[in-house]
Structures are given as C-alpha cells and as structure tokens.
Amino acid sequence: ALPKAKNTTGGLTVFKNMTISASEKVPNTSPVKKTAIKEDPSILAAVENMLLLDSYSKRIQIEQHLIVLRDSKTSPKDRLTNAEILAKVVKAVGICSGEGDMIVEVISSESLENQLQSVREGVILLAKALMKSVGRILEPFLLPLLPQLLIMHADRSQTVRDGAAAIGADLMQQVNPYSFRTMIFPTLITAMSHDDWRVKVAGLTFLRSISPRVSKQLTPLLPELIPKVSECIYDSKKQVQTTAIDTLTEACGVIANEDIRPLVPQLVSVIAHPDESIKTLDALLETTFVANVDAPVLALIAPLLAKSLKTRSSVMKRKASRVIDIMCRLVQEPSDVAPFMPLLLPALDKVIDEIVDAEVCGVAKDARAILLKAMGEGDEKVSTVAATPTAVSLSVPAVQIKLLDALHHSMKNNQLYSTAEQPLHTSSQLLQGSLNDTEQKIFTFISELCAELVVKGTPPNPNMKIDDADFDVENSWRYAVAMSDSADWNDCIVPYILSVRDSYKSRCSPATSETNFIDISAEEKVDKDGDNESFPMGSPTDNTVAEQLSSAFRSAALGVVLDSQNQTDPNDSNLCDIEFSLAFGGKILLHNTYLRLGKGRRYGLMGKNGAGKTTLLTNIGSGNIEGLPATIKTVYVQHDDASDDQGVSLIDEMMAGKDMIEAGVKREDAAAALTHIGFTENMLSCPRSMLSGGWKMKLLIIRAMLSRADVLLLDEPTNHLDTASVAWLINYILSQKDVTCLIVSHDTQFMDAVLTDVIHYENRKLVYYHGNLTHFVSIHPEARYYYELAGSTMSFKFPTPERLDGINSTTRSVLKIENCTYTYPGQTKPQLVNVSAKVCLASRVAVVGANGAGKSTLIKLLVQEAEPDEGCGGIVWKHMNLRVAYVAQHSFHHIEQHLDSTPVEYIKWRFAAGYDKEDMTKANTKLTEEEVEERKGERKYGDIDLVLGRRKNGRTMEYECTFVGQNPAREPNKYITVEKLTEMGYLKLVQQCDTRIAAAAAGLDLRPLLTAEIQGHLDDFNLAAEFGTHGTIRRLSGGQKVKLVLAAAMWNRPHVIILDEPTNYLDREALGALTQAIKTFAGGVVIISHNHEFTDALCSEKWLVKDGQCFTHGGAEETAMKSMSIKKSQSAPADLDLPPKDDATGNINTSIVSEVILNPKTLESLSKKEIRKLERCAAVAGVTLKDYVLKINCKSPEWKWL
C-alpha cells in the first residue's frame, strides 16, 4: 500500500513510512553526504524522513512532491517548499542516482513550454532551488534549456519571469567559459532578434553578465556580435537601447588590445550619438598604439570609419583616413582585415574620386595603399607572418568524439572505479549500457568542454612536425591537448566528474545497491562501521580525487605525446628581448621591432623630435609594451612634473609616494640622500613648488635612486641642472652596475660620458650600436648635428620686426631694469637685491648661474610677469612700442589650456582680438581682483573709464581717455600725460593701451588669421601641416610643443626674444636650427641655459646671477639696423598645394599682397590724402615713398600736418 500523506504545520505535505523496522532497513554502506541545513526545521524533517525510506518508497514520495509542485491548487508557499525539499534530496542522493535522475528529468523544454501556468511555475521554482543546492553540476541540463529561459522572460506569470531571470543570472555567473561559444552565444544572438522586447533585454542582460568571465572566448566573436548589438541600440524601446549600450560596453571591454580598451565607452557611445564622431576620431589619433590590431578591434572601429568617410566634412574624411592608415599598419593577419574590406575600400575610393581638397585626397590614397597592403594585395605586405608548417585543421565535433572515448577509458582503467566484484568494461560496453542517461549527459558535456578548450583555446604545438614521414595525422589532436592549460583542463572536468564517480561506483558493487542516509546534518560522512572512508564534496580529499581523475583523463588523451605543461624554458640572461610595435597620434612610430635590454647596460635613445623617444619611455614605464616581462621594475623620471604639491612639505610628499612605500624607504634614509646632494633643512620643509627647475629635477632623480629599479628611464635628466649637478648625475649613473638605464637627452657631453650603447630610430625600427655617441657618429656621419650645431639640416625663420620710434642704434636700450629687489611671498630673505641690467636690439645675452640662484626670477622681472618689492625704488622700463617674446622655463604653460585644439586654432584664439592675449595676463597689465572690484564699484563723475589711444606732444606722451558720465556727442575725449595717469593709479590701463598699439604696429590687426597664413608661419618653425593644421596639441611631442610656443611668440614680430632653458626639449637638429635663426635675427636675444655649447656659439654678453646679485660681462656689438615697416599678407605656402584664388568673373590671382604704410606720428595707416602729399615730397627728393616715410621724425616739417 502507498504511504499516507500527512499534513504538517505550515501546510507542508510530506510522505513517511508509518513504521520502518530494523529488518526492513537496507544496510547503510554508501557514503552520507555532508549537508548543513539551516532552513525551516519542517523542511529538514521532511528530507530526513524521505532519506530513511527504501528506494521504492522514496520514488513514491518524490512523485507525490512533483505532483504537488505542479498542481495549480498548491499555494505559492507550498510550491516553493516542495521545490526546496526536492532540491535537497538531489543534493543528498546525488544527481546521477535513480532518485536524482527522476527529479532532474522534470526540468525539460516540454515542461517549460507547458500550457499550464502552474506547471511552468513549479518547474522554474524547482530549477531555481536546484541551482542553489547542487550548483555547477546542473549546467549540462540547464544549458540546453537556455532558449526557453530567455523566452520565459516574456511569460504572463511574474513568478516565471523572476525565476527565469534568477536562474539565468546564476548560470551566467558560474557556467564554464568553454561552453560559451557553442552552447550560449548562438542562443543570445537569436534572442536579440526576437519580436518581444523583453526577450531582447534578457539576452543582452545575460551577455553583459557573462562577458567578464569569457573574455578569451568572446573576443573572436566580437565581429559577429557588434553588428547585432548595434541594431539593438537603434531599437524603438528605450529599455532595449540602454541595455544594449551597457552590454556592448561590457562585451567590448574584453578586447585584448590595451590601447583600445580605455576608448571602448566612447566608441560604443558614438554608435548611439553620431555627433561625437569627430571627438572619437581625435581620441583615436591621440592614442599611443603598441599592441597589434586584430579583427575584434577593427569590428568596433570600422563602422565609425565607414560613416566618417561618407560624410560631407573633409575634416572627418581626413581623420578617418588617418585612423585607417595607422590601424592597418599594425594588422598582423590578412584574415583580420578581410571582413572589413567591402566596408572601407569603396568608401576610400569614393573619397579619392570626389574630394576636392588635394591634401585630404593624398591622405586617403595613403590609407588605401596601406589597407591593400594589409590584405597582401599591394606591392608589399605591411607585416608578414610565416605560415606555420605545424598547423593541422581540427574540428570541435571530431575532437569531442576522440575525447569522449578517452574519458571512458580513463574511467574504466582508474583503480577508483574497479572493484573485486565488478570486472572492467570496455569502452563500447560503457557507451552501450554502463552509464545511465544522466551520467552520459555529464560525460558528453565534459568532452564538449574539453574539445572546445583543445581546438579553440590552445596555441600551436611547436613539437608537432607534420613534415616528418612518420607523423600520425590521426593523432594530431593529442598535440593540441598537450598545449592546453592544466587549470582550464581541470575546470572542465573537476566540478562534474565526482557525481558520476559516486553513482558509477555505487552500481559497481551489489552491496551498495541501496543508499540510506541516517543524518544529513552530520559533519562527517561515515560508512556502516563508522569509518571515515568516503570523500565529502568540496573537501581536500574530494578535490584530490577529482584532480586525479582529471589527470588520468589527460594522460589517456595524450597517449605518447609529451605534455607541454610539464616543460620549462631556460631563463634568459637578458632583462628583455621582445618584438613589438608602437604608434601615437595617427603616426606609426615603431613597427615589428625588437627591444633588447641587457642588465647593467646604459642605452641612449637617438632620433629626431617626434620620432617617439618619450612615447617609448612612457609606455615602458607604464608596462604597456606588449610582451614586456611583468617582473621588471621600471621607474620613469619625467622632465616636467606639473602635479600639485597641495602645500605639503617636500619630505612628507616624497614619503607618501607609492614608489617609496613599495620600496620600503625609511624617512631618515630619504632625508640623508637629499641632504647629500645639497638639499637644506629649509628646503626639505618647504613645498616642492618653491624649488627651482634644477632642484626639482634632482628630487626626481633621488626618488628614482631610492626606488631600487631594475630599469631606470631617464627623459632629459640634465634639464635645468647646472654643471656641478650634471657631474654628480654622471658619477651616480656610472656607479649603478646592476641597473639598466634607458636615456633620452640632448646633452651630448652627458650622453658621451655615460652610454654603453646607442639605440637609433631608423625606418620605424630600433637599431642597436655598441659604444658611446662618438662611436655612433663615426658610423653615421650624417648625424653629426648631435655634436655640431652648425651641422643641422633643419632651419627656422624668425620674422623681422619694424623699427622702433626714436631708436636709431642697435645698442640703444629698449628694455632695462634698475635697482630692483624681489622677495618671494612668504619668504623673508630677498631672492634678488638691487639688480640692474639692460637689453638692446643687438643684445645676445646668456644668463648663467647655479640652480636656484634667481635667473628665471630676474627674467620675470624684466618681462614684467613679476613686480619688484614695494619701496625698493626699482624701475622696470621698456620702450612703449617694444614687443617681447618670452618662452618660459616651463614653456608648456602657454598651451596647457588648449591641448584639445590644433596649433592653428590656438594661434587664432591667442591673436583674435588684434593683440596677444598672453601679454594681457602679465602682472604689469592684468588687473587684480581687488582692482576689478574697485572699478565695478561706485565711481564718481569724471573718473577715467578707458584709455583708448595716445599721441606725442613734443617730448611728452599723452593718452586719449574717456570718463565716467561722459556724453560723447557734446564732450570730446581728453588727452592726459602718462605721468599724470601714473600718479592717478591708471598705469596698468596705460600699459594695456601700449600693448594694443604695439600689436597694431606689428600688423596684427591687419594680418589675416587664416589657416594657410598661420600654417605658413608654422612651416617657418618646421611644424608641418600634419601637426599644425590637422593634429591637436595633445598629440605633439615635447620638441614640437616648443616649436609651437616659439612660433606663437614670434607671430607678433617681436623686437626682443627671451628664452628660458630653450634646449630642454629641442633635439640637436632643432637646436642647430634655433642657433642659426638667432644669429640672423634683427632683434635682441636673452637666453637662460646651462648648455654652454649653445650659449657660447651665440652670446657676446653674460649676466652672472650669484648671491642675489647680477654681474654683467661683455656687451652688445653694434649691427646694421634691420626693420620692416610695411605689413604684408603672406601668400599661402607652396607645400600646401592650394589652388589659386579667383573672383566671380574668373580672373585668377596667384597671390594677394596688400601694402600699408604707417603714419610715423600716430602709428596708424596713412590716409589717401596724406599718401598723395608724401608721394609729391618723395618725388621731389628723388626717393621712394617707403624710404621717404622712414626718414620722417619729430623735427621734420611733415610732422606738423601728419
């Protein structure tokens, strides 16, 4: 008779035998499962009672629970309770047991698709409880039901929808990664095309959840995935759009290319927001590309490139072409770029055929050529990878059959599966009847996972020689098994094998045909005699057995093939020997070259500005070089640390650094090292910002010393260092016998003293030369500019300024400082005391002195970026029309606010108002906050409002002023002398007026701010259109930024150039060009530099700053006056290949030149009436109008009526 049902508290229905005698109980010879149940005691009691029953009764109980579970009359609480009871029974008896198989087989596609809602709810609750109870062993049974789980997200029942979501989330978080490609991915792709938006969201959500766990498997599938998810981004449902963007961002985050990965959110965002295309293209062009480009990377970028090529904007077409150029140069396999040829090649052809801009057309042609080379269709391939003769085509299904047979053999032959009562079976016998359906499903699942790992997840085996006559092709799959990772192999087997082992072993012995569990809450599993002989699930013993089974399976699969996982490679004596590529800012810097670093060697990186020297050091320091050993500790010493010190003392900031903490440096050791090279106690307690450039560089070098690096990366280490400090640095580097140094420096004497090897940039390769710089130049005489500034093949062209009013001699002072004292804020001791100096148009001054002596401070006083101490009586004077170009020590501060603009755009912004906006920020012209507030406050009638212009009345300069409350119609502007304005406190307004007039005198108000005009000016400083017009400032190298700063400073045709450490960033060739340009410059030059070779070649005068004083030696030498008083609009440079301009009637002008002659009295353009009168005077004198006007001064008769 069937046992009667009994209702317990809470509505729980359980089935128990009324009486179970000792004789009826089957001996408990099988292991008891370890379980710790802390749930409802009624559930525990129900499970315990069921486990005490014989096999037949247990099956009856299970059937009754399944009926209750799927009954529509069962309450939700009872249905959930029954699901938990059944799940715990499966955990106790094993999923492969008869009872376990009976329960698990209920979870089927037929049940999930049943018309009755109660059945679907019951099955989904059971599946959810089983996931919680038995975990990963359920994967072989749930993965085939993934399509139904996705569709159930659109079910009418909230319980079904929530359950399907919970099961899917748990499954995605624990499923084996090697089941993704064949079992999960196709289902998710299909869900994204489903008619119901909820199913789409479910598929996208599952993909987002599993993506981080299956990066290796998902990456090659991205070319197929990205178009599908992109379609969902354009879906009409907002929920689908949002989920698709998040999913694609997460999925593309698995891309192995470290250069692209930071740009993934922006590349995904541009799919939904096309207006971000230019910004995204700029981000790609500004990226340093090191890793090779493969199909997943191209799949993400190609749609953006194709759309950009089809727009009307020539700027976007050019940028897209440049990205194609750089990407395809880094492609290794033609098969990676082949799928995107139909998308990109026709778009490039259309640009070439239709674009009018010849420069953009040329870029598109270059990109097309590189694209064809990447496919192997051009004159030569961009990169060639030799075909591997060891490759054998393997298919997953074929390998799966082989592995399944090997798995059966390993099970059969392992001693854990053979007993005295049960003889060993053959493989065919096992396949025919020794395994039940559940066990066979698990075995098949294991073999499928291992086949996916072997075929798709292993590199080629170098030991497989298919050319050998005796090679067995049939066993080629075993060589792939040998290359599989042991940890991945175990993960495909260990979580699933024990359940089969326990079930199979229990059936092998008649004495264990029945299972009885006397205490499911016991901490140990015991047999009938109480001995601890079984293996609790998850215990160390259990894991050991599972690993033994995995190892036995691997051995059976390998056969006689040697396992590559047990082989070790000999250690390489070199620190580094790798092949890599490097690109930055739309330019390939290095391609398939080698980086070889030997221990204790000192390498000098040689190459032109923009070759990529600093980029290479940066990427080595950040570990972004592909293949760079992670065990190498590198420290990168940058030449310019602009980080904020937050007012913390120097020693405290240093000890808080991550490098000091990791190296375990003690505070007293750090202080001793700094003190040893001259740091005082006062300097250690002051913020870093109080240090001069030289002391800051010393601090960076000391930090690098204390960090105990394997490789020291020094980028311009001698910048700002005086002679004594450079000597100290040389001695330190030579003393480090075990430290490898990689150095970029333009100091030839320093490089000659320390180098053991030279690494030279040649045709995008790193070429190695043993010996120092002298030896290198003997091999490459064309690189003599590393020693001789005159040997440079580059040239700069400085514009000629116009003549200054009243300056008839090049030795007459145009700028001077007299008896000035300056004290830094917060300090008591003055930095400079009663210093005096003067500058004329013939000046060639070298400002020298030790680090921290006050050289830069003196210059800041001279250019009025700093003001002398009040009450010192000092005077800073300059000619009212004098224009000064000042390139500061940290020159990048001029452009640091415009990094996302092009150099041309920066110059347009800087001079758009007709004057230099940088001049208006100086201390002598910029109004302080207090002064601005005062001017905004209450002002009485008659106060001066603006200073508009000036005139010369005899020997007195008068300024045109407007007043508060003035009526322009009845009250004219008034002229007030400069002395009175200064006395009234309006000196800054006067100097602002002088700056505007000086700019007008230079022609800035008439000089057109056109792209061609500005690029022509940049060409004079060797900054090509690729960087000047089409590239952002962020993409420029240090030397290129200095060229930009020089070009911008020279736009207003200055009379005096002041350069603070100009050699810090320019390479030898650019430094030679700067030297030659300064020699021919028609104005004065003041230079701060520790490079004696540079200053000795130029300067006839020296200012020695020492102990707060300035001592002058030598003087200016009289030169011929050069000036330009005619302002011209420059023609477009020839290299831009611009078409000639034509008017509406078809007349063509090859160039447009306009001449404006200035009135020498008002410094404004002459009127037509004045020009006619002066032309008659010039005709009488027998000279040209230009020469006649140049001779007019305040004593000339024409002065009265001009």
Side-chain angles (χ1 to χ4, degrees):
L2 293 174
K4 295 181 179 180
K6 180 181 179 180
N7 291 328
T8 60
T9 56
L12 172 63
T13 303
V14 295
F15 298 87
K16 300 177 63 175
N17 283 341
M18 300 306 293
T19 58
I20 303 178
S21 63
S23 61
E24 294 175 351
K25 293 184 179 179
V26 179
N28 184 22
T29 57
S30 61
V32 177
K33 301 296 180 179
K34 178 182 178 181
T35 311
I37 300 177
K38 298 181 180 180
E39 292 83 355
D40 190 339
S42 60
I43 297 178
L44 177 60
V47 176
E48 288 177 341
N49 290 331
M50 187 182 298
L51 296 179
L52 291 173
L53 301 178
D54 57 66
S55 178
Y56 174 74
S57 300
K58 274 189 290 189
R59 289 175 176 270
I60 297 298
Q61 286 271 2
I62 291 172
E63 182 64 32
Q64 292 294 337
H65 278 291
L66 290 174
I67 293 173
V68 173
L69 179 69
R70 294 174 288 184
D71 192 349
S72 60
K73 297 180 181 179
T74 306
S75 66
K77 183 177 181 181
D78 286 353
R79 185 179 286 125
L80 179 60
T81 302
N82 277 273
E84 292 180 357
I85 290 174
L86 292 172
K88 295 186 185 304
V89 170
V90 172
K91 182 176 182 181
V93 302
I95 197 170
C96 294
S97 64
E99 296 80 4
D101 182 63
M102 179 181 178
I103 297 173
V104 172
E105 71 178 2
V106 174
I107 307 174
S108 63
S109 59
E110 292 79 6
S111 299
L112 294 176
E113 295 172 356
N114 197 289
Q115 295 288 335
L116 296 176
Q117 177 176 320
S118 60
V119 175
R120 298 196 305 274
E121 289 181 352
V123 173
I124 207 73
L125 290 175
L126 177 59
K128 183 178 178 181
L130 284 172
M131 279 292 296
K132 181 180 178 182
S133 181
V134 300
R136 294 188 63 180
I137 190 60
L138 204 63
E139 291 174 25
F141 309 95
L142 282 182
L143 284 178
L145 303 178
L146 186 59
Q148 285 76 21
L149 287 174
L150 288 166
I151 294 175
M152 293 177 82
H153 282 72
D155 197 273
R156 295 189 302 271
S157 170
Q158 182 68 37
T159 301
V160 174
R161 295 198 299 270
D162 294 344
I167 293 172
D170 291 342
L171 194 61
M172 295 302 106
Q173 288 301 318
Q174 66 184 31
V175 71
N176 190 291
Y178 288 98
S179 65
F180 177 77
R181 190 183 71 87
T182 56
M183 306 180 199
I184 300 176
F185 181 73
T187 304
L188 298 182
I189 290 295
T190 303
M192 294 176 196
S193 302
H194 199 274
D195 293 336
D196 196 300
W197 68 269
R198 292 170 293 184
V199 178
K200 291 182 181 180
V201 171
L204 292 167
T205 303
F206 282 12
L207 178 61
R208 181 178 61 188
S209 177
I210 199 175
S211 292
R213 300 186 58 251
V214 294
S215 58
K216 187 189 301 184
Q217 293 76 24
L218 179 58
T219 299
L221 299 173
L222 286 177
E224 180 182 353
L225 173 69
I226 291 174
K228 287 291 184 180
V229 183
S230 298
E231 292 177 6
C232 294
I233 292 178
Y234 301 128
D235 196 273
S236 58
K237 273 287 184 180
K238 185 67 175 179
Q239 296 91 325
V240 178
Q241 296 176 13
T242 304
T243 308
I245 292 174
D246 295 341
T247 299
L248 190 57
T249 302
E250 190 72 43
C252 292
V254 306
I255 290 177
N257 192 305
E258 295 288 346
D259 310 324
I260 289 294
R261 193 177 297 169
L263 300 177
V264 165
Q266 190 169 350
L267 289 167
V268 173
S269 176
V270 77
I271 298 175
H273 306 95
D275 55 309
E276 298 177 358
S277 296
I278 290 184
K279 179 182 177 182
T280 306
L281 290 172
D282 287 337
L284 287 170
L285 292 172
E286 293 165 5
T287 301
T288 303
F289 288 98
V290 180
N292 293 325
V293 173
D294 53 12
V297 174
L298 292 173
L300 182 59
I301 298 176
L304 169 65
L305 300 178
K307 288 182 180 180
S308 300
L309 290 173
K310 295 176 182 178
T311 61
R312 295 184 177 181
S313 171
S314 60
V315 174
M316 289 185 64
K317 290 178 180 178
R318 188 188 187 283
K319 292 179 184 292
S321 300
R322 288 293 299 157
V323 174
I324 293 174
D325 189 313
I326 183 174
M327 289 294 180
C328 291
R329 290 179 187 274
L330 295 174
V331 171
Q332 291 291 315
E333 295 288 348
S335 58
D336 287 331
V337 74
F340 309 101
M341 290 291 287
L343 185 66
L344 298 178
L345 189 58
L348 282 172
D349 289 337
K350 187 174 182 181
V351 171
I352 294 171
D353 293 340
E354 298 179 358
I355 194 70
V356 177
D357 192 323
E359 198 271 339
V360 176
C361 182
V363 174
K365 287 180 179 179
D366 293 341
R368 184 182 188 278
I370 297 300
L371 182 62
L372 291 176
K373 287 180 181 180
M375 278 295 297
E377 299 178 8
D379 297 334
E380 57 178 343
K381 291 185 180 181
V382 173
S383 60
T384 56
V385 180
T388 306
T390 61
V392 176
S393 178
L394 298 174
S395 67
V396 173
V399 174
Q400 187 262 332
I401 295 174
K402 301 282 188 182
L403 288 171
L404 182 59
D405 189 63
L407 177 58
H408 286 306
H409 274 89
S410 66
M411 292 282 289
K412 171 178 69 69
N413 294 325
N414 193 285
Q415 61 180 353
L416 295 171
Y417 291 85
S418 60
T419 66
E421 297 83 1
Q422 181 74 16
L424 299 176
H425 295 283
T426 64
S427 177
S428 60
Q429 288 174 325
L430 285 167
L431 286 170
Q432 291 174 5
S434 295
L435 299 177
N436 63 29
D437 291 341
T438 303
E439 293 166 340
Q440 188 59 48
K441 279 185 179 180
I442 294 176
F443 264 40
T444 303
F445 183 72
I446 291 175
S447 62
E448 289 175 348
L449 293 181
C450 292
E452 185 72 19
L453 166 63
V454 168
V455 176
K456 299 296 183 180
T458 58
N461 192 326
N463 298 322
M464 184 168 57
K465 308 297 182 183
I466 64 175
D467 293 335
D468 294 348
D470 57 348
F471 180 75
D472 185 5
V473 178
E474 289 296 324
N475 288 321
S476 59
W477 63 277
R478 300 185 187 274
Y479 289 91
V481 173
M483 293 300 294
S484 62
D485 184 77
S486 297
D488 289 343
W489 179 272
N490 286 337
D491 190 54
C492 292
I493 301 167
V494 171
Y496 320 102
I497 197 68
L498 279 179
S499 61
V500 182
R501 190 283 310 259
D502 291 339
S503 175
Y504 180 73
K505 185 177 179 181
S506 67
R507 296 198 313 277
C508 287
S509 175
T512 60
S513 59
E514 287 288 346
T515 303
N516 220 352
F517 299 86
I518 60 174
D519 186 6
I520 63 173
S521 62
E523 290 297 323
E524 298 288 342
K525 287 198 277 185
V526 296
D527 64 5
K528 62 180 181 179
D529 300 321
D531 297 326
N532 185 9
E533 294 178 350
S534 299
F535 307 103
M537 195 66 180
S539 70
T541 307
D542 205 29
N543 291 335
T544 301
V545 172
E547 290 172 1
Q548 289 176 1
L549 298 175
S550 175
S551 178
F553 176 27
R554 188 179 182 90
S555 298
L558 287 171
V560 296
V561 176
L562 181 64
D563 194 347
S564 300
Q565 291 294 310
N566 297 326
Q567 302 181 43
T568 57
D569 296 328
N571 293 328
D572 193 348
S573 58
N574 291 332
L575 285 176
C576 174
D577 188 359
I578 59 173
E579 184 180 10
F580 73 104
S581 298
L582 181 67
F584 178 73
K587 179 181 179 183
I588 300 293
L589 303 175
L590 295 169
H591 183 59
N592 287 0
T593 190
Y594 288 90
L595 179 65
R596 300 186 181 95
L597 301 178
K599 188 175 183 179
R601 306 293 292 180
R602 299 181 294 276
Y603 300 90
L605 275 178
M606 296 295 180
K608 298 180 179 180
N609 274 345
K613 304 183 293 294
T614 296
T615 303
L616 177 58
L617 291 190
T618 302
N619 283 274
I620 293 176
S622 60
N624 288 336
I625 297 294
E626 190 173 18
L628 187 70
T631 55
I632 296 179
K633 182 176 181 181
T634 60
V635 174
Y636 180 32
V637 179
Q638 303 182 54
H639 48 66
D640 193 8
D641 184 7
S643 59
D644 188 5
D645 57 25
Q646 301 294 331
V648 180
S649 68
L650 185 150
I651 188 66
D652 289 338
E653 181 193 10
M654 179 176 176
M655 295 310 301
K658 182 179 178 181
D659 52 345
M660 296 293 100
I661 296 174
E662 291 179 351
V665 179
K666 297 181 180 179
R667 185 184 182 92
E668 52 270 22
D669 294 338
L674 292 171
T675 305
H676 179 71
I677 62 170
F679 280 82
T680 64
E681 290 295 331
N682 184 44
M683 296 170 69
L684 295 180
S685 60
C686 291
R688 173 168 47 86
S689 57
M690 299 299 296
L691 300 179
S692 67
W695 286 106
K696 288 179 181 178
M697 181 56 68
K698 288 183 180 180
L699 173 64
L700 293 174
I701 295 171
I702 287 294
R703 291 188 65 161
M705 290 169 51
L706 295 173
S707 63
R708 303 183 182 94
D710 298 316
V711 179
L712 202 57
L713 308 171
L714 303 176
D715 192 355
E716 302 290 355
T718 61
N719 278 4
H720 314 297
L721 295 184
D722 55 25
T723 304
S725 299
V726 172
W728 163 81
L729 179 59
I730 292 174
N731 293 332
Y732 164 70
I733 292 176
L734 295 178
S735 67
Q736 303 300 303
K737 302 300 182 182
D738 295 330
V739 177
T740 300
C741 295
L742 201 56
I743 307 171
V744 172
S745 176
H746 299 125
D747 189 333
T748 54
Q749 296 179 354
F750 166 75
M751 296 287 270
D752 233 4
V754 300
L755 294 188
T756 60
D757 303 86
V758 171
I759 303 177
H760 193 232
Y761 279 69
E762 298 178 14
N763 299 322
R764 296 174 183 158
K765 303 289 184 183
L766 295 180
V767 183
Y768 294 77
Y769 299 88
H770 291 296
N772 60 7
L773 196 58
T774 302
H775 178 69
F776 169 71
V777 173
S778 67
I779 300 174
H780 284 275
E782 68 276 8
R784 65 186 182 277
Y785 57 78
Y786 283 121
Y787 276 104
E788 302 172 8
L789 295 177
S792 174
T793 58
M794 185 184 297
S795 63
F796 290 167
K797 181 181 178 182
F798 287 178
T800 302
E802 86 284 356
R803 178 174 294 185
L804 291 171
D805 185 28
I807 303 299
N808 298 319
S809 171
T810 58
T811 57
R812 186 171 178 178
S813 298
V814 295
L815 177 65
K816 62 182 177 181
I817 180 174
E818 294 180 351
N819 302 322
C820 287
T821 299
Y822 181 79
T823 306
Y824 277 107
Q827 301 293 316
T828 57
K829 182 180 179 181
Q831 180 71 24
L832 297 172
V833 180
N834 293 331
V835 293
S836 300
K838 66 176 183 177
V839 180
C840 60
L841 296 180
S843 291
R844 296 293 185 271
V845 180
V847 184
V848 298
N851 289 134
K855 304 183 295 297
S856 297
T857 305
L858 174 63
I859 294 302
K860 288 181 179 180
L861 287 174
L862 195 64
V863 299
Q864 298 178 321
E865 283 199 359
E867 295 181 320
D869 294 346
E870 294 184 4
C872 69
I875 298 175
V876 179
W877 175 87
K878 72 170 186 176
H879 190 281
M880 57 185 177
N881 285 346
L882 182 72
R883 297 185 300 278
V884 178
Y886 174 45
V887 179
Q889 184 182 79
H890 303 286
S891 56
F892 297 165
H893 85 275
H894 294 282
I895 57 176
E896 62 186 6
Q897 303 299 324
H898 306 271
L899 296 179
D900 294 323
S901 302
T902 66
V904 168
E905 291 170 345
Y906 166 67
I907 291 180
K908 286 182 178 179
W909 167 86
R910 183 168 168 175
F911 298 97
Y915 56 85
D916 189 352
K917 293 180 181 178
E918 295 283 353
D919 287 341
M920 294 300 182
T921 63
K922 295 180 180 179
N924 68 312
T925 56
K926 184 178 180 180
L927 298 176
T928 64
E929 293 183 2
E930 293 79 6
E931 291 171 333
V932 172
E933 291 298 325
E934 183 179 346
R935 288 181 57 80
K936 288 182 179 179
E938 187 175 337
R939 293 183 294 170
K940 62 178 189 248
Y941 177 83
D943 287 347
I944 293 177
D945 187 21
L946 298 173
V947 177
L948 302 179
R950 71 183 184 211
R951 68 184 182 185
K952 197 170 184 180
N953 187 2
R955 294 193 175 186
T956 302
M957 190 63 65
E958 296 178 342
Y959 288 82
E960 183 182 4
C961 305
T962 63
F963 300 88
V964 175
Q966 178 183 359
N967 187 342
R970 293 181 297 175
E971 301 175 294
N973 298 338
K974 295 183 179 180
Y975 283 87
I976 303 176
T977 63
V978 64
E979 292 81 7
K980 187 174 181 180
L981 287 173
T982 303
E983 182 181 345
M984 297 169 64
Y986 294 102
L987 179 60
K988 288 187 177 181
L989 294 181
V990 170
Q991 291 173 334
Q992 289 179 7
C993 179
D994 288 342
T995 300
R996 292 193 299 269
I997 294 175
L1004 294 188
D1005 56 337
L1006 299 177
R1007 190 173 186 180
L1009 287 171
L1010 302 176
T1011 298
E1013 175 87 3
I1014 298 173
Q1015 183 56 55
H1017 179 72
L1018 294 175
D1019 288 337
D1020 291 340
F1021 293 85
N1022 219 265
L1023 196 62
E1026 178 64 37
F1027 305 101
T1029 302
H1030 305 293
T1032 61
I1033 296 174
R1034 191 184 302 276
R1035 292 166 48 192
L1036 302 182
S1037 68
Q1040 290 169 332
K1041 288 179 180 178
V1042 171
K1043 291 177 182 178
L1044 170 59
V1045 172
L1046 279 172
M1050 301 298 288
W1051 177 261
N1052 65 355
R1053 301 188 180 105
H1055 301 90
V1056 174
I1057 304 172
I1058 299 179
L1059 306 173
D1060 194 347
E1061 300 286 3
T1063 63
N1064 282 352
Y1065 308 97
L1066 295 177
D1067 60 16
R1068 294 287 298 182
E1069 192 170 16
L1071 192 59
L1074 179 62
T1075 302
Q1076 298 304 315
I1078 289 176
K1079 286 182 177 180
T1080 59
F1081 179 54
V1085 180
V1086 179
I1087 304 170
I1088 298 178
S1089 178
H1090 295 296
N1091 190 326
H1092 297 293
E1093 177 190 14
F1094 177 62
T1095 57
D1096 291 346
L1098 293 172
C1099 301
S1100 60
E1101 183 178 358
K1102 285 187 178 181
W1103 297 351
L1104 174 61
V1105 182
K1106 182 179 180 181
D1107 299 330
Q1109 302 291 322
C1110 179
F1111 305 94
T1112 59
H1113 304 277
E1117 300 175 357
E1118 181 74 33
T1119 58
M1121 290 284 292
K1122 298 179 182 179
S1123 64
M1124 182 177 70
S1125 60
I1126 300 176
K1127 297 178 286 186
K1128 298 183 180 181
S1129 168
Q1130 298 180 359
S1131 302
D1135 61 339
L1136 286 181
D1137 196 22
L1138 295 176
K1141 298 180 181 179
D1142 60 286
D1143 58 20
T1145 59
N1147 298 320
I1148 296 177
N1149 296 320
T1150 57
S1151 63
I1152 300 175
V1153 180
S1154 59
E1155 297 187 0
V1156 178
I1157 302 179
L1158 295 179
N1159 185 323
K1161 181 177 180 180
T1162 64
L1163 300 180
E1164 296 178 353
S1165 302
L1166 289 170
S1167 65
K1168 292 182 179 180
K1169 180 179 179 181
E1170 291 172 333
I1171 291 176
R1172 288 195 297 269
K1173 294 177 66 175
L1174 290 174
E1175 283 177 342
R1176 291 194 293 269
C1177 296
V1180 173
V1183 296
T1184 63
L1185 175 62
K1186 172 184 174 182
D1187 292 337
Y1188 190 83
V1189 172
L1190 287 177
K1191 295 180 180 179
I1192 297 176
N1193 54 42
C1194 60
K1195 297 181 179 180
S1196 303
E1198 296 85 358
W1199 195 264
K1200 296 180 181 179
W1201 53 265
L1202 278 175

